[in-house]
Amino acid sequence: MSAPEGADSGHPPAGRAGPVRRATGAAAGPGEQVCHLYRLRPGAEAEYERRHAEVWPELSALLDEAGIYEYAIYRRDLLLICVLRTRSGFAHAGAVTAASPVQARWTASLAHLFAEIADADGEPLWAHQVFHHPGHPPPA
């Protein structure tokens, strides 16, 4: 399949607005959705899903304290796609969770399941939004 006309040229197709670049990762502000990726080690899928079906109550409390909401993790084979929003921006949420012994224990308890969690600089594997259609929600 070939790319649509105008793709990869740095210019949108005629009559279309250019892509909206939103902050990704630590630069994301309050309410902005962020997405990052992880890759599991082969064979770790069942344990990863079991552990997330039994998330520690103190970890859930920490996510609330950090202002993290609408947090969902999707899995396709070994690829994990994490999507979330924060009340006070991602940098704030990251600082709260990084300072927590609960987060340190949770991360250490899962470390053996991951093949890839960050780039060469230690940054999470951020994904940036290339399309968004808000649509119209159904009437209440």
Side-chain angles (χ1 to χ4, degrees):
M1 175 186 269
S2 62
E5 184 180 332
D8 300 321
S9 69
H11 303 287
R16 301 275 314 264
V20 175
R21 292 288 180 185
R22 295 199 167 123
T24 56
E32 285 186 271
Q33 186 177 71
V34 296
C35 178
H36 59 94
L37 310 172
Y38 294 136
R39 191 167 307 279
L40 291 171
R41 294 185 189 283
E45 303 93 330
E47 182 178 352
Y48 184 84
E49 288 195 13
R50 180 184 58 77
R51 295 291 307 280
H52 282 80
E54 304 167 355
V55 169
W56 304 339
E58 61 267 36
L59 183 63
S60 291
L62 174 63
L63 296 175
D64 289 340
E65 176 188 337
I68 295 170
Y69 69 100
E70 288 187 14
Y71 189 0
I73 301 173
Y74 302 88
R75 184 177 72 78
R76 173 162 175 103
D77 300 322
L78 300 176
L79 180 64
L80 299 170
I81 304 156
C82 306
V83 181
L84 61 101
R85 295 179 189 277
T86 63
R87 286 193 302 268
S88 300
F90 190 82
H92 170 78
V96 171
T97 58
S100 169
V102 171
Q103 180 67 45
R105 280 194 340 256
W106 177 259
T107 300
S109 77
L110 296 177
H112 67 286
L113 302 177
F114 295 111
E116 183 180 28
I117 61 168
D119 66 16
D121 295 327
E123 273 293 305
L125 303 171
W126 297 116
H128 68 273
Q129 185 178 86
V130 294
F131 177 78
H132 177 242
H133 173 74
H136 303 283

